[in-house]
């Protein structure tokens, strides 16, 4: 699975809450998590950009080029992942995530996989997923994972 346009679809409050929770979970108290959240809110809500000689204010998400964007997106993905994994009725095997790209094994039926996918897309209003599934090969992080004759292969 992959989150669709993660950086530009993270709602500010959801992302800020994710960052505050991550700071508290890892016992980071200096600087104060509330101060970090306040600075992050400033960065997110004051992101102006120019296109075709017009200025725009980005209302949702974070600009890909800001220094905070990769860490912010990863922390947000971690919260989204926890929200999914703690509330889904059917469990996966071998869940692996790199920022917004997710690879997992599904030990249930294809119909149940589609139900899980629908469940994931209903967790949040703007954070949506795409999915690719196969019993023989799948793309993940610019590689293709292949199963042939009960052997695993990777093709770049």
């Amino acid at each position: 699975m992959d989150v669709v346009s993660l950086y530009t679809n993270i709602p500010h409050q959801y992302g800020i809450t994710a960052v505050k929770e991550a700071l508290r979970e890892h016992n980071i108290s200096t600087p104060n998590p509330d101060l970090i959240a306040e600075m992050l809110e400033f960065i997110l809500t004051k992101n102006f950009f120019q296109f075709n000689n017009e200025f725009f204010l980005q209302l949702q998400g974070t600009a890909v080029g800001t220094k905070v964007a990769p860490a912010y997106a990863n922390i947000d993905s971690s919260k989204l992942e926890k929200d999914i994994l703690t509330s889904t009725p059917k469990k996966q095997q071998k869940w692996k995530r790199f920022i917004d790209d997710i690879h997992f094994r599904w030990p249930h039926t294809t119909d149940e996989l589609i139900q899980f996918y629908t469940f994931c897309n209903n967790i949040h209003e703007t954070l949506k997923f795409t999915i690719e599934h196969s019993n023989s090969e799948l793309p993940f992080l610019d590689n293709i994972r292949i199963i042939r004759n009960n052997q695993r292969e990777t093709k770049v």
Side-chain angles (χ1 to χ4, degrees):
M1 288 194 319
D2 182 37
V3 179
V4 178
S5 302
L6 173 65
Y7 284 70
T8 56
N9 281 312
I10 303 169
H12 295 321
Q13 203 51 54
Y14 186 83
I16 292 167
T17 299
V19 169
K20 285 171 75 171
E21 287 175 5
L23 291 169
R24 289 193 173 101
E25 180 180 320
H26 291 89
N27 294 320
I28 296 172
S29 57
T30 306
N32 182 317
D34 292 327
L35 176 60
I36 292 173
E38 189 177 323
M39 291 186 297
L40 182 58
E41 183 175 7
F42 181 84
I43 291 167
L44 295 171
T45 60
K46 306 294 187 245
N47 185 36
F48 291 91
F49 61 95
Q50 184 179 5
F51 180 74
N52 281 345
N53 295 322
E54 288 189 60
F55 286 92
F56 298 89
L57 172 64
Q58 186 169 342
L59 300 176
Q60 180 173 289
T62 184
V64 175
T66 61
K67 290 185 180 192
V68 73
Y72 177 69
N74 198 32
I75 291 169
D76 181 78
S77 291
S78 178
K79 177 173 175 38
L80 184 59
E81 177 181 66
K82 286 177 191 170
D83 291 348
I84 289 169
L85 295 177
T86 58
S87 58
T88 181
K90 294 281 183 177
K91 301 300 178 189
Q92 317 71 26
Q93 294 176 342
K94 299 251 180 184
W95 182 277
K96 304 286 183 190
R97 177 182 60 82
F98 180 77
I99 305 179
D100 66 338
D101 295 301
I102 304 164
H103 178 81
F104 61 91
R105 286 194 203 155
W106 187 255
H108 313 290
T109 67
T110 302
D111 286 342
E112 290 170 316
L113 174 62
I114 301 305
Q115 289 172 3
F116 172 71
Y117 170 65
T118 302
F119 170 82
C120 291
N121 276 326
N122 288 317
I123 287 279
H124 202 275
E125 187 177 320
T126 60
L127 299 171
K128 303 297 178 189
F129 295 88
T130 60
I131 190 169
E132 293 185 47
H133 61 92
S134 169
N135 290 327
S136 58
E137 66 179 52
L138 283 172
F140 183 63
L141 300 177
D142 297 328
N143 293 291
I144 297 178
R145 308 280 312 263
I146 303 166
I147 298 176
R148 256 188 237 150
N149 302 325
N150 288 331
Q151 298 289 324
R152 292 185 201 160
E153 300 175 24
T154 302
K155 191 163 76 173
V156 179

